[in-house]
Amino acid sequence: MKKNDCFFRESRFPGIQKLINVMKLTFTLLLISVISVYASETYSQTKVLNIDMKNSTVKEVLQNIEDQSEFYFMYSEKLVDVYREVSINSKNQKINEVLDELFAGTNVDYKIKDRFIVLSTPDGADFEISIQQQKAVSGTITDENGEPLPGVTVIIKGTTQGTVTNYNGEYSMQNVEPGSTLVFSFVGMRSQEVIVGDQTKIDIVLEVDAIGIEEVVAVGYGTMKKSDLTGAVAVLKNDDIAYKATANAAQALQGKVAGLQVTNSGEPGSSPVIRIRGLGSVRSNTEPLYVVDGVLTTDITFLGNNDIESISVLKDASASAIYGVRAANGVIIITTKRGNKDRISVTYSGYAGVQVPVDVMEMANAQEYIQLLNEKGEIAAKKTGGSFTPYDPSTYTVSTDWYDEVLRSSAFTSSHDIGFSGGNEKTLFAAGISYFEQEGLMLFDLYKRINVRASVDSKVRDYLKIGFSLNLSNRNSHNSPNVAQAAFIAPPAVSPIDPETGNYMAMTEFGDYANPLVDLMFIDDRTNSNRLVGSAYAEFYLMKGLSFKSSFGVDGSYTRDRIYREKYELTGGTPSDEIERLQRKMSYDYNWYWDNTLTYTGQLFDNTDITAMLGISAQDQSGLWLFGSRKGVVLYEGYNALYLNLGTPDTQSNDDGGSHIASSSYFGRVNISHMEKYMLTATVRRDGSSIFPENNRFDIFPSLGLGWVVSKEGFMADQKAFDHLKLRASWGEMGNNRIPELTAVGTVDYSTWNSTEFGGIIHQGASATYIGPENLLWERTQEYDLALEGYMLKSRLSFEVDFYNKKTIGAIFPVTVNSALGASNSSYLDNNADVLNRGVELSLGWKNSYKEFNYRLSGNIAFNKNEVVALKPGTIGIYGGWMNVNSSTYTTLGHPIGEFYGREVLGIFQNMSEIENYKGPEGTPVQPNAQPGDFKYKDQNSDGVINDKDRTFLGTALPTYNFALSYYMEYKGIDFQVDLYGQGGNHIYNAKRFRQIGNENYDKDFYDNRWHGEGTSTTYPSADMASNDNKVVNSWTIEKGDFWRIQNIQLGYTIPQSLASKIGIGGIRVYANAANPKTFFKYKGFSPEIAKTGAEAATSQGVDSYVYPMAATYNFGVNINF
Amino acid sequence: MKRNILKTIVLAFAVLLIVSCEESFLNFEPEGKLPEEEFFVTEAHAEQAVNAAYAHMRTWSQVAFPLYAIQEMPSDNALKGSAVGDAAFLNDYVYFTVTPNEGQVSDYWSSRYKGVNLCNQVLSNIDKTNTSEAKKVRLIAEAKFMRAFYYFDLVRAYGDIPLVVNLDDAVAEASVRVPKADVYTQIVNDLTDAATDLPVQYDSQNVGRATKGAAQTLLAKVNLYLENWDEAATLTDEVISSGQYRLMDDFWGIFRIDGENCAESVFEIQCPYDDGDWNLTNCQNAEPQGPRGDYGWGFNVPTDDLANAYDEAGDTIRKNATIIYFGKEAPNGDVIGGIGVNEMEGVSVPRYNGKVYSTMQEREELGWWCSWGANVRVLRYAEVLLINAEAKARSGNPSGAATSLNMVRQRAGLPEISNPSVEQIVNERRLELAMEGDRFFDLVRTGQAASKLASNGFKTGVNEVFPVPQNIIDMTNGTITQNSGY
């Protein structure tokens, strides 16, 4: 092995250095043992034994052989006299030599099969007799209600011999020895063990295990029993999300997990903004890491709800730190559908429905609009000293409701999924195909997705398990331009279409406004992408408790975008020469990973279980894109002739780009559980990422978690209140490397803005004037978590409460470059801030049943406080939330990220004397240019004038709490479920309303409440919102964003089994569902959910400019089990 | 067989341990980009770096809002214009209420320092390239011309400023302001070198690069600010006698796209127009000043005071070319459209800067966005004559002054003035060069700012310069100080 110092690179943690050395040694030792184990094919021929025993029984000798080797013996004491005394001395002998000597002179014969040796007598029947002494056992497994339980695993303890119950809950097993113990287990039920004895029929009633003690949870590079967890991990099953009519699984997560905040936008198929435990970074990506069957990704819009088997949300550092430098925003592990070993099942689930826009803001109509313009013009004229000729309202007979024009009144959606799964003891498979289609509320918006999935897990040999999963998805969408803002500002007193020519109107009568329909009608923007996410693994069981797993996965996608702008003519405007412009973009992304892990599971001492895992991982992400455009591509029938080569050559433009990031990691984890009472989880990961400078590429992320099941202590034995009570505490460090690529690297800029023209010829230019950070590192998050969880009242009540303190150290924060240096960048990203998120999460569940009536009630609530707690000296706060060149947020020390920042409104000037009497310290009017109806601002710095220096903090844009409540009931086949979700504490900048710069339209609420004469309003300004002091960001424009909504109501009916089986199917459930039918909020916009994405999203939270109405979805569905 | 497979896998595992430990797995060149260490190697690199310094001249902060805000709107020539409330911050420049946080102040500043840096990159690195000696001399001279051009804007707008001329000391130089006299010394030195080394003219494929005449003219103009009248007169005499330039007959025509790089042009910013490439076609000097509601945005509009100045002088040719009114005919017959009466902020009848107007014919022939390709006129021969006139008038040579002045007046259709006063020449500068970005600096330079601009809020001792951007004060912890009064 080449001497390589990357293992020994100096570390911030001196102790870790040693640990790494130990790890390396361990690896080497394990490798040696691995190699030796693999020689086992000829184990009996190679294994040598040393025995020196005098006057021992045969049984003792056999015991000795078992102790020093992996051989084990099977015999009947009735046939083989094992109490015969012998003396034996053999050195370096093989097993057959030893046995020959041991049984010399007796009639005992032996057969060696691998490590398994059968002793018998030569008459041959003896062994058979011993088998015949074994017997058959059968029985029925039911639940507490007497319902048969299919799929219960029945195994003989200490062996792999077993079976599962059939659909009627029945099982039968042959060859069970009377002395053996049967173990009955089923997910969600408490396992039971029964000694067979002389029974031949064993019926079992399994009890629901409220603690979920058997539940196995994906925790990253392995699984853990839920009961052994020391970190904050929330688990969702397919059932928890599949019932929702959302476009993708990410959208369905809203309200499902305490501390997970999901903000949906109304665009079909879009990815919601997801935050786990607040916002830890100002400029890095803050979305969680998704791990889909081992593939690390940041986008799961390719997955449908039915593709998913389970989801683990790793919330704290103890759980997430195993993902090291990508874990700081939390980790969501997704396992796609796997087979069940009980039986082959074929399922269909599908629904169809309509979406209708809800809470559509009413806008001023033409008459109201003209009235507002006249009020505005009159006041503005007074300010500028000009004159104003009012519009004559009687000439405007047309009144257009632009949202009516650009939105669908109902949009169709449907989903179909066929699943096929099954398996046996050794092999499980699952396959499926699904189709999802959703029209957007914006006219012509359409999203379609087809998924094909398959997975196989097979224990092909007793030492080898292999498997794979694949998910191929195709997305096909027609992306309508978002004309929400254009529709908001478009004058209503204009007809969309010229009735004489049928052309669209240019809309220049009141200023230069885009006709919102023009972009919708004439821009054809389509995306077609294919994405394949797949992985394969092989797991070797090397020796008892030790296994080696190697998995390789790919995430490849190919996307085509085509935007075509048709030629069109408008009435009343100058023609646009954006004629027949075609743009095409192709992008290709390919990521792969290779993980290798060694896992040891065993006992450290009596009652002390240990699972230790060591692993390495290599990852590589690369992508490229190619863009081209031309004008003059004529639209023929259909869209099949939209190719660049059909355009005008001298209008061509092209560009391309690429990216490449790689990382390599070493990691390890130890779980120790003593008597299922005390648990410890320790992880460490060492990561290297190419995105950082060469001298600064590696770092180590440790974590530690402790668990204490208090209810298992003796002093708790007599209490009845708690069935289960567990205390968890954890600490850990995680990283975030998701900064823009090339942040740390200076490159030459060959963009054509560097080129120029001399003498009519383009002369190429280039520059290299980027100033970057000298020592950029990842963001490092330190998190503490303290939690209490348990079950009470016969496990009917469950609770979990977590307190956390999560500090991002060295958060990426822009550092201002001295502008006199003339760098191409005004700032660069560096580790310059500390951000603290503190919070509490509480989850409660209640479930009970009364005869055939079952119900569940569950809820969660999470509080989070966000604050920038340190800025390195010389770092200046960041202005953000830009709109019309005005910033609306300021991020600085002692405040949450992206807190709103503007002027404080004291009221509305009612008359001139109020303006004249509002005087500064020097006795001069503070707002001398104001008119009645204008905002009166607080002079924060008391300097007698109102300007940018009078800005103050106007409230956080980040929700400080969110909550969800869910109720489910089921009675005689009828089920009913309702989910509520809400959040609050945040503020929204009503930028949509506040983009007034000229004759934009107003909303009806403004019309109804505006100031239009003394005493008419003390809160709303006059219609003159566009003039100087009125249009700056102020406390009137920052509104509270609290809301709660009825997120889902579902009523279902499952047809009785007897009826279903008559028509030859396993079961049918039909249901009706209403998603997001009603949201309660006071904010004066369409929706209080403002989903911001992009590089500056963190400092632009809650800026509402392009948000359009949310949709309520009403759908009917059916689930069929064949 | 089984053994072999297993061994292979185990071996692979071991190999991976080594391989992924190889740092080379993480070491690769940036995708699709040339690392900056690979730059400044060849002659092509040196040329590309110089071209980038030219290209920077046409960017937004050089030619659009920050330019109007600092150089024209504070003067008596222009108002914000446009619709009420649109880009209201520009009124801070009209009415002298600007604060150090205002965006145009910092954009104007940082953009010009970017230009300086692009020149410094050339001057500090060109020796590392294999550029031929003759080419190197020319490229250095071009870079020096442009550095002086950028610093001249900075020193006029902010007074004392950081003087960054050396890449090695850039951080230290950028952290302290030097007296404006030192900046002027640097400008004069750079322009003197440039005037020596730049060619008188270029081949047809390089028309538009800085010439000897451009350097001499800019140096003469700098000397007006330094009140070195003799130098200004001598330099402009040389330009005049070089025979390279002449006044065009058609004043309106100079400013049309057909008039680019005409015989009157001493230096103009070359703005390419390529329909497919909006990084190349990115000069937005004209569009924001174009008729609002037509193709433009309607900012930076001429005042009635300017119109009156033309009327008082009986100057219709230049008035009609400089101020175009809504509903009236431009000199080429276009009827100006866009927003109507009472729809423009500050004036009743909308009007626009005619010198950057895109005619309907141009839009028809070259494309709707052709204004993005219109060159920005920086130095014209008319200004050479006016500098010459002013310098001579101020240094006691009224007849020499009259010769130059009257050439300009004659083209404008105005009678000759035999013995012109400095005031008359300065007024002629206003009429000839209105809306070309000199008026505010001229008012300050000639001491007329207080009297002409007091009604807009001009405060003597404060508003002669603009505030230093707040962020550089913050980030240098105050080693860069603020101008007094801000």
Side-chain angles (χ1 to χ4, degrees), chain A residues 384-455:
Chain A
T384 57
S387 61
F388 173 72
T389 317
Y391 295 92
D392 178 2
S394 66
T395 58
Y396 299 97
T397 52
V398 174
S399 185
T400 303
D401 180 340
W402 285 104
Y403 282 103
D404 227 31
E405 301 288 330
V406 303
L407 295 179
R408 285 184 166 115
S409 56
S410 69
F412 181 74
T413 183
S414 70
S415 168
H416 305 276
D417 179 84
I418 293 171
F420 172 46
S421 68
N424 54 31
E425 278 304 301
K426 291 199 162 169
T427 301
L428 304 175
F429 72 91
I433 183 163
S434 63
Y435 174 75
F436 176 81
E437 179 180 329
Q438 186 179 20
E439 289 180 340
L441 288 186
M442 200 61 81
L443 214 55
F444 309 124
D445 223 4
L446 178 62
Y447 177 89
K448 294 186 214 173
R449 187 184 62 229
I450 296 173
N451 286 61
V452 181
R453 62 177 187 267
S455 72

Side-chain angles (χ1 to χ4, degrees), chain B residues 106-127:
Chain B
S106 59
D107 286 357
Y108 188 93
W109 169 286
S110 57
S111 171
R112 277 144 190 85
Y113 273 108
K114 275 179 198 174
V116 167
N117 185 29
L118 289 167
C119 300
N120 286 343
Q121 295 286 337
V122 174
L123 296 170
S124 294
N125 289 318
I126 196 163
D127 284 339

Side-chain angles (χ1 to χ4, degrees), chain A residues 1-2 4-7 9 27 31 34-35 38-39 41-42 380 384 387-389 391 463 508-509 511-512 540 548 574-575 577-578 581 592 594 596 598 616 618-620 623 631 650-653 658-664 666 688-690 694 697-698 741-742 745-748 750-759 761-770 816-824 874 876 879 884-885 947-949 951 997-998 1024 1026-1028 1031, chain B residues 2-3 6-7 9-10 12-14 16-18 20-23 25-39 45 47-49 51-56 58-59 80 83-89 91 99-102 109-110 113-114 117-118 121 142 162 164 170-171 174-175 204-209 270-280 282 292-294 296 339 342-343 345-346 348 363 367-369 375 469 471-472 474-477 480 486:
Chain A
M1 182 170 173
K2 183 189 160 203
N4 194 307
D5 69 347
C6 77
F7 250 122
R9 186 163 287 277
F27 252 105
L31 277 175
V34 166
I35 290 164
Y38 279 126
E41 190 193 16
T42 51
T384 57
S387 61
F388 173 72
T389 317
Y391 295 92
Y463 59 85
T508 50
E509 186 164 359
D512 192 14
F540 297 89
F548 167 63
T574 38
D577 80 335
E578 277 289 325
R581 184 184 180 86
W592 60 260
W594 190 14
N596 290 284
L598 265 176
I616 64 171
Q619 291 175 41
D620 189 277
K631 289 183 179 180
D650 64 3
T651 62
Q652 68 186 7
S653 163
S659 69
H660 186 195
I661 301 172
S663 58
S664 78
Y666 299 80
S689 173
S690 67
E694 254 182 84
R697 221 160 236 179
F698 295 87
E741 208 178 334
L742 302 180
V745 184
T747 58
V748 184
Y750 271 99
S751 305
T752 50
W753 57 67
N754 288 295
S755 295
T756 188
E757 183 182 81
F758 295 117
I761 295 164
I762 303 302
H763 291 241
Q764 189 179 36
S767 63
T769 55
Y770 173 79
T816 309
V817 176
N818 183 329
S819 49
L821 287 173
S824 59
I876 307 168
Y879 292 97
N884 280 3
V885 305
N947 57 24
D948 274 357
K949 293 173 181 169
R951 288 180 291 181
I997 54 173
D1024 183 30
S1027 74
N1028 299 354
K1031 73 182 294 277
Chain B
K2 196 154 81 176
R3 182 195 235 168
L6 293 170
K7 274 191 171 172
I9 290 166
V10 172
F13 180 50
L16 184 72
L17 262 179
I18 301 158
S20 69
C21 201
E22 284 283 354
E23 293 198 5
F25 178 67
L26 303 181
N27 287 355
F28 38 79
E29 295 297 320
E31 206 59 43
K33 301 268 186 186
L34 189 68
E36 64 184 18
E37 301 81 46
E38 315 280 329
F39 199 47
H45 291 156
E47 281 192 52
Q48 287 162 359
N51 292 342
Y54 279 107
H56 182 69
R58 68 172 190 267
T59 54
K80 190 204 85 166
V84 175
D86 195 357
F89 50 83
N91 278 324
T99 61
N101 278 317
E102 214 299 306
W109 169 286
S110 57
Y113 273 108
K114 275 179 198 174
N117 185 29
L118 289 167
Q121 295 286 337
E142 289 182 78
V164 185
V171 173
S175 303
S204 66
Q205 300 194 349
N206 285 285
V207 170
R209 292 183 181 273
Q270 306 295 312
C271 300
Y273 180 69
D274 177 335
D275 203 354
D277 187 343
W278 293 93
N279 288 329
L280 194 61
N282 65 343
R292 185 180 178 88
D294 188 3
I339 58 174
N342 290 328
E343 289 180 25
E345 181 164 336
S348 57
R363 279 177 268 159
W368 182 254
W369 303 110
N375 287 356
N471 64 359
I472 192 172
D474 292 345
M475 70 97 32
T476 58
N477 270 329
I480 300 282
Y486 288 101

Side-chain angles (χ1 to χ4, degrees), chain B residues 119-248:
Chain B
C119 300
N120 286 343
Q121 295 286 337
V122 174
L123 296 170
S124 294
N125 289 318
I126 196 163
D127 284 339
K128 292 194 274 182
T129 65
N130 60 4
T131 311
S132 64
E133 199 51 38
K135 179 65 86 55
K136 193 192 283 184
V137 167
R138 194 197 88 197
L139 292 175
I140 289 173
E142 289 182 78
K144 285 186 172 176
F145 170 83
M146 287 186 279
R147 183 163 72 179
F149 169 85
Y150 290 122
Y151 268 126
F152 188 40
D153 277 356
L154 285 165
V155 74
R156 286 186 294 172
Y158 302 97
D160 301 346
I161 49 167
L163 181 63
V164 185
V165 291
N166 191 326
L167 281 191
D168 293 336
D169 296 333
V171 173
E173 288 174 344
S175 303
V176 58
R177 300 173 76 181
V178 302
K180 64 180 184 181
D182 294 2
V183 181
Y184 272 115
T185 302
Q186 181 68 42
I187 292 170
V188 169
N189 289 343
D190 278 348
L191 287 174
T192 305
D193 290 350
T196 308
D197 292 334
L198 284 172
V200 174
Q201 60 181 23
Y202 288 88
D203 61 47
S204 66
Q205 300 194 349
N206 285 285
V207 170
R209 292 183 181 273
T211 57
K212 184 185 192 73
Q216 287 172 324
T217 305
L218 189 57
L219 184 54
K221 188 165 172 176
V222 168
N223 276 311
L224 286 189
Y225 285 75
L226 295 173
E227 302 186 356
N228 297 330
W229 316 119
D230 291 343
E231 282 89 337
T234 308
L235 284 159
T236 42
D237 278 343
E238 284 177 32
V239 176
I240 293 164
S241 62
S242 74
Q244 293 290 317
Y245 310 101
R246 65 179 171 84
L247 292 179
M248 305 295 285

Side-chain angles (χ1 to χ4, degrees), chain A residues 610-648:
Chain A
I610 180 169
T611 303
M613 183 269 293
L614 278 174
I616 64 171
S617 174
Q619 291 175 41
D620 189 277
Q621 301 164 264
S622 60
L624 57 89
W625 55 269
L626 182 64
F627 167 88
S629 86
R630 277 194 200 185
K631 289 183 179 180
V633 181
V634 179
L635 178 65
Y636 295 101
E637 252 343 78
Y639 288 82
N640 296 334
L642 293 182
Y643 283 83
L644 294 173
N645 64 67
L646 298 174
T648 316

